[in-house]
């Protein structure tokens, strides 16, 4: 008898996005003339930077000639891309990372999901609330949780991020082994200071734990005092793995390229307490189960590090940051407490009422779609996420309508 992985039955259906879609469709049906503005999505809207498009084309041309054609590439990525990343994203920021510690992949979503297969099933996992749902669901699939009850899975340690702690995940009050952190955060847009991140690195050392640090939004950090990588912190190389992506940095959500940094000194332990290095394990996993990212896409990603690419991606991110600043300032002026919108494309608003009621108010009175916080966890009650991924024109129009609706 073929049996299923019953952990899948514990998963909560993705109620959030289908419910949003249903409410939006129903409103549109009764108000066909309203041009609904979507500030709910976590996807970019601007096209690829020209430098990336040019390199992408050149990569395709190379595949069309027998002299430059390439078959299977190295699973970890081509050296030209790994070297550009190590120098530009790390060494130039005093983070000691070498090219062979970088693993090119087709997504930070896949990597954050796949990495936990390296670790034992009966470890204690600490996950922020609210959270990017991938960390949670992949641990449910792996059998690291109990059943879902009162908005939470049994067996996990939830780290609350709420107004009382400025939306920075609370330190676990019991020993934990694997810790997920994401800064700048999705969904809250909160950032962490160097000193704050250092306390997590110290915590991981003290508890023989490992930190999975998701830096998918590091390109939005414009305050030079804030860390963009956990490897800017002393001692992080032994206790952290970092995930990065070209998705939000350079508009690659539909093109697919990301990378994971596993330092050679990053360690974990066996049941006897014997130390093992994680790098060879991830190398083995990656080379066995992954075939590498296509050559033209890696060419396009490498172009991010050219002089034009750097200028163009900065401009791209600045465009969204301008939207974020507009949303942050205007919603703040209306008297709402919020976080994010600086060094982040997301603004997390404390609505002071039920999140879905506030969502409905913005939808039906302003024709603006946002994302209700409870979709990201119990601490999302009473909050909505507003995304800066849209055109300036749409964001300005949305803000005017929201001001009218809330007045
Ligand atoms: C968008 C996003 C990613 C990037 O995922 P890709 O698979 O590389 O597109 C990773 N983490 C978070 C929190 C995100 O919001």
């Amino acid at each position: 008898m073929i049996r299923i992985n019953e952990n899948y039955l514990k998963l909560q259906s993705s109620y959030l996005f289908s419910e949003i879609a249903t409410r939006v469709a129903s409103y549109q049906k009764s108000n066909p003339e309203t041009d609904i503005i979507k500030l709910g999505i976590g996807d970019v809207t601007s096209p690829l930077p020209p430098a990336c498009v040019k390199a992408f084309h050149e990569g395709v041309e190379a595949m069309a000639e027998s002299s430059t054609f390439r078959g299977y590439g190295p699973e970890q990525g081509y050296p030209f891309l790994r070297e550009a990343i190590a120098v530009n994203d790390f060494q130039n920021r005093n983070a000691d990372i070498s090219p062979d510690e970088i693993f090119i992949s087709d997504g930070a979503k896949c990597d954050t999901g796949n990495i936990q297969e390296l670790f034992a099933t009966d470890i204690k996992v600490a996950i922020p609330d609210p959270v990017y749902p991938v960390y949670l669901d992949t641990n449910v699939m792996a059998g690291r949780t109990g059943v879902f009850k009162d908005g939470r899975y049994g067996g996990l340690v939830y780290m609350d991020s709420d107004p009382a702690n400025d939306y920075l995940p609370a330190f676990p009050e019991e020993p934990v082994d694997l810790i997920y952190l994401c800064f700048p955060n999705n969904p809250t847009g909160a950032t962490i200071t160097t000193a704050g991140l250092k306390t997590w690195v110290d915590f991981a050392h003290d508890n023989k734990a490992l930190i999975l640090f998701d830096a998918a939004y590091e390109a939005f950090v414009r305050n030079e005092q804030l860390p963009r990588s956990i490897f800017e912190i002393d001692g992080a190389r032994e206790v952290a793995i970092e995930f990065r992506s070209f998705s939000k940095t350079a508009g690659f959500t539909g093109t697919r390229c990301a990378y994971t940094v596993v330092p050679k000194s990053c360690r974990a332990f066996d049941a006897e307490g014997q130390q093992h290095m994680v790098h060879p394990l991830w190398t083995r996993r990656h080379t066995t189960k992954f075939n590498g990212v296509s050559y033209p896409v890696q060419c396009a990603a490498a172009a991010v590090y050219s002089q034009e690419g750097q200028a163009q991606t900065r401009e791209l991110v600045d465009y969204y940051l301008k939207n974020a600043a507009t949303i942050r300032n205007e919603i703040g002026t209306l008297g709402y407490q919020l976080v994010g919108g600086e060094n982040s494309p997301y603004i997390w608003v404390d609505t002071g009422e039920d999140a879905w009621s506030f969502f409905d108010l913005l939808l039906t009175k302003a024709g603006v779609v946002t994302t209700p916080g409870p979709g990201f966890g119990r601490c999302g009650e009473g909050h909505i996420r507003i995304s800066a991924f849209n055109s300036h024109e749409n964001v300005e129009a949305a803000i005017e309508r929201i001001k009218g609706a809330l007045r």
Side-chain angles (χ1 to χ4, degrees):
M1 179 177 73
I2 175 64
R3 290 181 50 206
I4 56 163
N5 174 355
E6 291 183 28
N7 293 312
Y8 274 67
L9 304 179
K10 296 176 192 160
L11 290 166
Q12 299 305 295
S13 59
S14 179
Y15 154 86
L16 177 74
F17 290 101
S18 59
E19 182 60 25
I20 292 173
T22 305
R23 294 191 190 203
V24 171
S26 141
Y27 172 73
Q28 186 78 86
K29 193 154 176 252
S30 39
N31 299 272
E33 73 295 344
T34 305
D35 186 11
I36 296 175
I37 301 175
K38 297 197 166 128
L39 300 182
I41 45 168
D43 193 2
V44 296
T45 49
S46 301
L48 293 174
C52 297
V53 175
K54 180 164 174 286
F56 206 171
H57 277 297
E58 287 165 3
V60 173
E61 290 306 321
M63 297 300 266
E65 296 291 332
S66 54
S67 61
T68 48
F69 170 78
R70 295 172 189 239
Y72 287 120
E75 289 93 345
Q76 299 95 323
Y78 284 103
F80 66 82
L81 179 55
R82 301 172 87 192
E83 277 157 25
I85 290 169
V87 171
N88 290 282
D89 286 347
F90 297 97
Q91 293 164 12
N92 287 353
R93 296 190 57 84
N94 292 321
D96 172 24
I97 292 297
S98 61
D100 57 0
E101 295 175 321
I102 288 161
F103 296 78
I104 309 300
S105 80
D106 59 355
K109 172 161 123 181
C110 326
D111 287 347
T112 52
N114 291 329
I115 197 85
Q116 37 94 29
E117 119 180 23
L118 302 188
F119 308 110
T121 307
D122 57 352
I123 55 169
K124 204 64 162 169
V125 180
I127 290 189
D129 181 350
V131 74
Y132 177 60
V134 175
Y135 319 148
L136 197 58
D137 289 351
T138 53
N139 277 291
V140 175
M141 292 169 177
R144 289 201 188 86
T145 72
V147 296
F148 192 78
K149 197 165 162 263
D150 301 330
R152 290 191 162 175
Y153 291 98
L156 290 177
V157 173
Y158 286 88
M159 302 184 287
D160 289 358
S161 321
D162 51 34
N165 59 22
D166 292 330
Y167 301 96
L168 292 173
F171 274 98
E173 283 166 11
E174 56 188 293
V176 296
D177 307 303
L178 190 63
I179 301 160
Y180 287 83
L181 293 177
C182 174
F183 291 107
N185 190 265
N186 178 13
T188 68
T191 52
I192 194 164
T193 61
T194 300
L197 197 49
K198 174 84 169 104
T199 59
W200 282 104
V201 168
D202 292 343
F203 181 89
H205 275 281
D206 294 345
N207 292 278
K208 292 192 166 178
L210 188 82
I211 298 171
L212 298 178
F213 188 76
D214 186 341
Y217 295 96
E218 60 79 29
F220 290 79
V221 174
R222 284 298 149 77
N223 178 345
E224 280 299 322
Q225 306 304 314
L226 296 175
R228 290 171 66 162
S229 166
I230 195 168
F231 300 117
E232 292 173 33
I233 311 296
D234 284 340
R237 282 181 53 89
E238 289 71 39
V239 299
I241 291 172
E242 180 164 305
F243 303 94
R244 294 249 188 136
S245 176
F246 294 96
S247 285
K248 318 297 167 28
T249 307
F252 272 52
T253 52
T255 304
R256 311 303 318 142
C257 197
Y259 64 89
T260 289
V261 187
V262 185
K264 286 200 216 112
S265 43
C266 177
R267 90 292 178 256
F269 304 88
D270 64 23
E272 271 69 57
Q274 192 79 32
Q275 182 173 290
H276 296 265
M277 292 302 147
V278 178
H279 188 275
L281 305 181
W282 185 242
T283 302
R284 189 58 195 264
R285 197 266 168 213
H286 210 69
T287 53
T288 302
K289 293 196 180 182
F290 184 62
N291 256 327
V293 173
S294 85
Y295 175 70
V297 168
Q298 292 192 58
C299 293
V304 165
Y305 301 101
S306 66
Q307 217 172 9
E308 312 82 68
Q310 288 285 284
Q312 291 163 7
T313 48
R314 195 179 167 87
E315 199 181 319
L316 190 66
V317 170
D318 278 343
Y319 185 89
Y320 299 127
L321 281 171
K322 187 174 168 206
N323 284 345
T326 302
I327 298 166
R328 180 185 161 90
N329 295 338
E330 298 285 355
I331 302 290
T333 304
L334 289 171
Y336 289 91
Q337 297 298 311
L338 48 76
V339 63
E342 292 172 314
N343 307 293
S344 162
Y346 299 123
I347 296 90
W348 186 245
V349 183
D350 187 343
T351 63
E353 59 173 296
D354 176 68
W356 279 104
S357 308
F358 197 76
F359 167 90
D360 283 335
L361 174 80
L362 294 185
L363 175 62
T364 59
K365 296 280 184 310
V368 174
V369 183
T370 56
T371 312
F376 301 101
R378 207 160 79 183
C379 291
E381 299 287 350
H383 291 77
I384 56 157
R385 186 190 74 177
I386 308 182
S387 158
F389 292 126
N390 212 316
S391 65
H392 290 330
E393 297 71 29
N394 280 346
V395 166
E396 270 151 32
I399 288 297
E400 284 315 308
R401 291 198 213 158
I402 290 174
K403 278 157 73 175
L406 296 179
R407 214 165 257 136

